[in-house]
């Protein structure tokens, strides 16, 4: 089979640098082959596939309950939201009505997941730019969320708490109190994040005006999530196609228009606060009731195609299931947000310096296993 | 002049006379040189070890964790353990690297910092050499370090090292201008370049108080510029792990890497020591004119305690910078120097000269 | 727009396509030669303005190969599904949508990598995840004695 060779070409005075799969600041196993002229980036080609595990192929031989466990391992920082996506697709296909209690708990856990994902983003973004202390402060606070997950769901990062029809188990009796304590603590501490990084003049110089994406480019390339919202593209699935308990809460969709690294960062900072607002509206009103709907042990979806999007911490995750009536799906496709957000990296970094490439890559907040699936 | 309780010139004179009594003058000088060399080596090693440990503890303090706390009580032998490990590390020979320059580079960096330590006054009469062009000599020898950096990057035969060395070289050479001009400001205030005279002139008030506004500006510029010169803190893109692995010393392993590593901490020490000598009075205690009792108490504390205390405060400030701020990009760094610091510095020199002529200082 | 309105609008715009109501969305099945023109029409027309390519899925239907496109409009917030069938399993090919939706570049590389469908006019068609010694794993007739346990 004829393969075109690498498109990174060498002209005079250009040289090729490899930010290899093992690199402190590509977040995961991502290889960026950059062609530079001095300090200026001419061309960036991402090479992926180092962690391709064939998840979509594997799903064709698993049952619908087993697929949930694979989704944890795609975008592991939005594990709960990924699980929810598959569960919602299956429940929509079966036209099952999940109890209100389940919807509330799923929403609360999703928002907690979003907060801890953005905390990790803050920690690693600061570290990439050189403010190494940010890593410790961000992770210190994230530990509280992970402890809540561990107590209720049984796992810190790999949760697998959702199941088609509801939840695996009811929430722990301490859950509400711990979440309220966390919100109170975090509201008092989040100003540290702004004091340390947001207002810092060095940080602003490194991030304002870098890697600008216009709204038309964001729509054309399909960039969703905080990356798209920083360019003014209103793409929040929670607002446009509400699911679970999102139609019962009021929150703002954080939009900026400048589309540079700084505003992608600011969108995530503000989203953390919005998530806390959502949790506060729900945490005291969790209705009583069963935590799952009775499902058959062997789930078979009726023949047809089903699509459901959810808003993960990084963008729109779309689950497309094609079923032929058997207990295993015929085809499962995950439209992963990171896969789509990575594609315009070349377009975004042309003409900037190599230090900016690190900042741009960090602001996209990529999780490589989600790209490779 | 009040009698200074701690005067080491009598000690050094005694050593000198006893040596000359027992052997010929040539030999006496040779033995003295060896003694000074050994003393500075010991100082180098001890200060280096202590600073590495202090950095890790200070960094941990700011990052909400403990730092080394297992090797020895409170982790004080951690650096020794690291040094012993580095001695055992395999020295990976580099293919196609320029062997002589590759091995020479760390030594040049060390030699530059040695020569600078030799001129610093630790207490009255306690310095290796008291040149009448002390400040000028210090600026000259600290510039030698850049040669070592460039040699290291070039001879490693590695794209990343070369980029790191070029960046680092440009950075050091640019910021030397600012450092030099800040020191020139103080020389104008003091009227002499000799370090012992500068310290003596601060008996009744440190220069940062005496030369109020221009001295404060000079100090601020000095501390930022020298952080940049030592490749530390927010100016450490030459060694930015997130971007180019380790910059100019990527290819060095084992004891040669230890040299670069130590040299960086000793440079930080030297820079802080120069700052204390010219701005904060060196080993001179804090005296207030007219408060005799207070001055007597201040005099009771030994001068090298003063010296190391002030230097320690300066070093803590530099460590604080590193662990708080993100990194500057190379073009922002050079913009800062050439477009901001240099004009401010030149203006400051003129301001100080005006002040001295009009006598508007304390 | 509601699904019924959409069905009518699309049937008017693209006369020779098969437009039907799926379980969720309107499904438009088009001949694979016409896909580029259809996509341009769907994007440019003011009433539909499908400017966001949500997902591009390569399918192996067992006998034919195919590609399924999920399109959404950011103006009206409606979604449709466009499908093409590619009966040729030896040298499957379709037109690339990179001119209309730049974001399709990586999606099409993935489909080429995992199913073998070539996209004509793609700026840089290379395998994305796997190297050239792999076949096309997502096909239903993919055999791998080492890595796959067949029942």
């Amino acid at each position: 089979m004829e393969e075109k060779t690498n498109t990174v070409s060498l002209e005079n005075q250009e040289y090729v640098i490899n930010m290899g799969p093992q690199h402190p600041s590509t977040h995961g196993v991502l290889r960026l082959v950059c062609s530079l002229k001095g300090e200026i980036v001419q061309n960036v080609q991402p090479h992926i596939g180092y962690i391709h595990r064939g998840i979509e192929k594997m799903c064709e031989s698993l049952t619908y309950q087993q697929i949930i466990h694979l989704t944890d391992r795609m975008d592991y920082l939005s594990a709960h939201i990924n699980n929810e996506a598959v569960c919602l697709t299956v429940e929509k296909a079966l036209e099952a009505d999940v109890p209100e209690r389940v919807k509330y708990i799923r929403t609360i856990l999703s928002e907690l997941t979003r907060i801890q994902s953005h905390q990790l983003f803050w920690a690693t973004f600061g570290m990439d730019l050189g403010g190494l202390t940010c890593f410790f402060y961000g992770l210190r606070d994230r530990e509280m969320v992970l402890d809540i997950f561990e107590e209720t769901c049984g796992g810190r990062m790999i949760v697998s708490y959702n199941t088609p029809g509801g939840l695996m188990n009811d929430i722990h009796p301490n859950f509400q109190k711990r979440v309220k304590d966390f919100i109170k603590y975090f509201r008092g501490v989040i100003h540290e994040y702004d004091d340390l990084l947001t207002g810092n003049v060095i940080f602003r110089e490194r991030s304002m005006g870098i890697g600008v994406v216009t709204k038309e480019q964001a729509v054309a390339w399909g960039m969703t999530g905080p990356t798209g919202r920083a360019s003014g593209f209103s793409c929040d699935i929670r607002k446009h196609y509400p699911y679970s308990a999102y139609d019962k809460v009021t929150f703002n969709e954080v939009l900026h228009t400048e589309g540079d690294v700084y505003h992608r960062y600011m969108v995530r900072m503000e989203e953390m606060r919005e998530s806390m607002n959502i949790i506060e509206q729900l945490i005291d009103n969790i209705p009583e009731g069963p935590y799952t709907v009775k499902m058959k042990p062997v789930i078979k979806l009726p023949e047809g195609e089903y699509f459901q999007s959810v808003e993960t911490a990084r963008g729109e995750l779309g689950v497309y299931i094609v079923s032929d009536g058997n207990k295993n799906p015929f085809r499962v496709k995950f439209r992963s947000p990171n896969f789509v957000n990575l594609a315009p990296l070349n377009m975004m970094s042309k003409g900037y310096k190599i230090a900016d490439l690190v900042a741009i890559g960090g602001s996209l907040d990529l999780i490589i296993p989600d790209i490779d699936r | 002049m009040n009698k200074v309780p701690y005067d080491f010139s009598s000690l050094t004179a005694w050593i000198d006379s006893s040596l000359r009594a027992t052997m010929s003058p040539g030999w006496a000088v040779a033995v003295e040189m060896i003694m000074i060399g050994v003393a500075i080596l010991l100082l180098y090693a001890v200060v280096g070890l202590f600073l590495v440990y202090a950095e890790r503890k200070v960094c941990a303090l700011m990052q909400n964790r403990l730092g080394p706390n297992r090797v020895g009580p409170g982790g004080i032998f951690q650096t020794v353990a690291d040094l012993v490990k580095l001695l055992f590390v395999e020295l990976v020979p580099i293919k196609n690297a320029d062997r002589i320059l590759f091995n020479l580079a760390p030594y040049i960096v060390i030699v530059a910092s040695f020569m600078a330590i030799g001129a610093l006054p630790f207490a009255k009469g306690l310095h290796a050499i008291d040149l009448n062009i002390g400040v000028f000599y210090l600026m000259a020898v600290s510039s030698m370090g850049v040669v070592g950096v460039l040699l290291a990057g070039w001879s490693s035969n590695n794209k990343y090292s070369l980029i790191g060395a070029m960046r680092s070289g440009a950075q050091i050479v640019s910021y030397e201008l600012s450092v030099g001009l800040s020191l020139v400001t103080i020389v104008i205030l003091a009227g002499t370049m000799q370090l012992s005279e500068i310290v003596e002139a601060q008996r009744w008030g440190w220069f940062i108080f005496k030369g109020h506004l221009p001295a404060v500006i000079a100090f601020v510029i000095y501390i930022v510029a020298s952080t940049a010169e030592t490749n530390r803190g927010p100016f450490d893109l030459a060694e930015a792990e997130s971007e180019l692995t380790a910059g100019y010393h990527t290819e060095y392993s084992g004891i040669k890497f230890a040299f670069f590593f130590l040299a960086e901490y000793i440079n930080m020490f030297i820079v802080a020591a120069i700052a204390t000598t010219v701005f904060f009075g060196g080993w001179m205690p804090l005296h207030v004119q007219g408060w005799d009792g207070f001055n007597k108490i201040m005099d009771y504390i030994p001068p090298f305690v003063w010296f190391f205390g002030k230097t320690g405060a300066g070093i803590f400030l530099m460590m604080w910078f590193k662990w708080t701020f993100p990194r500057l990009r190379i073009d922002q760094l050079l913009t800062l120097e050439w477009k901001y610091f240099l004009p401010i510095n030149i203006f400051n020199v003129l301001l100080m000269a005006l002040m001295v002529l009009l006598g508007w200082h304390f | 727009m509601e699904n019924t309105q959409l069905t009518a609008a699309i049937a008017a715009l693209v006369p020779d396509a098969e437009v039907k109501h799926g379980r969720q969305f309107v499904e438009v099945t088009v001949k694979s030669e016409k896909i580029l023109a259809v996509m341009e029409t769907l994007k440019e027309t003011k009433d539909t303005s499908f400017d966001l390519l949500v997902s591009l899925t390569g399918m192996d239907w067992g006998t034919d190969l195919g590609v399924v496109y999920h399109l959404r409009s950011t103006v009206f917030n409606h979604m449709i599904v466009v499908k093409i069938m590619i009966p040729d399993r030896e040298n499957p090919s379709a037109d690339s949508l990179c001119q209309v939706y730049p974001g399709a570049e990586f999606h099409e590389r993935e489909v080429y990598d995992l199913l073998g469908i070539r996209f004509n006019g793609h700026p840089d068609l290379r395998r994305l995840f796997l190297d050239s010694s792999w076949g096309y794993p997502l096909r239903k007739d993919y055999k791998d004695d080492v890595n796959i346990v067949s029942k």
Side-chain angles (χ1 to χ4, degrees), chain B residues 305-321:
Chain B
V305 170
W306 279 107
F307 180 79
F308 283 106
K310 293 177 207 172
T311 311
I315 293 178
F316 179 75
L317 190 66
M318 289 171 75
M319 288 182 183
W320 201 352
F321 283 167

Side-chain angles (χ1 to χ4, degrees), chain C residues 14-151:
Chain C
V14 188
D16 53 344
E18 194 189 311
V19 181
K20 73 175 180 28
H21 219 278
R23 280 180 173 270
Q24 251 179 298
F25 305 119
V26 174
E27 295 179 11
V28 182
T29 312
V30 183
K31 285 208 180 20
S32 63
E33 302 83 48
K34 302 263 176 53
I35 185 66
L36 192 54
V38 169
M39 287 298 184
E40 272 172 8
T41 321
L42 286 173
K43 185 176 175 191
E44 302 299 330
T45 316
K46 283 283 177 286
D47 288 334
T48 50
S49 59
F50 288 106
D51 47 359
L52 179 64
L53 176 68
V54 176
S55 170
L56 198 160
T57 314
M59 294 289 309
D60 181 353
W61 294 101
T63 46
D64 295 347
L65 297 172
V67 185
V68 178
Y69 303 90
H70 284 81
L71 298 175
R72 183 187 292 148
S73 165
T74 56
V75 177
F76 300 109
N77 257 337
H78 46 228
M79 266 180 83
I80 58 166
V81 177
V82 180
K83 296 192 199 177
I84 59 174
M85 300 295 225
I86 304 172
D88 184 0
R89 284 186 83 101
E90 295 302 314
N91 290 317
S93 74
D95 284 329
S96 165
L97 295 187
C98 286
Q99 289 169 308
V100 184
Y101 300 108
E105 185 185 333
F106 262 39
H107 282 120
E108 288 174 353
R109 277 179 67 181
E110 182 193 3
V111 171
Y112 170 60
D113 189 12
L114 296 174
L115 281 161
I117 302 176
R118 298 196 75 92
F119 288 92
N120 309 321
H122 191 278
D124 179 22
L125 194 65
R126 311 176 258 146
R127 297 193 78 142
L128 192 61
F129 301 132
L130 307 170
D131 60 28
S132 50
S133 59
W134 293 81
Y136 299 114
L138 219 48
R139 290 199 185 184
K140 295 290 176 189
D141 52 1
Y142 176 73
K143 293 239 175 311
D144 184 341
D145 295 321
V146 175
N147 295 315
I148 298 185
V149 175
S150 327
K151 295 197 195 102

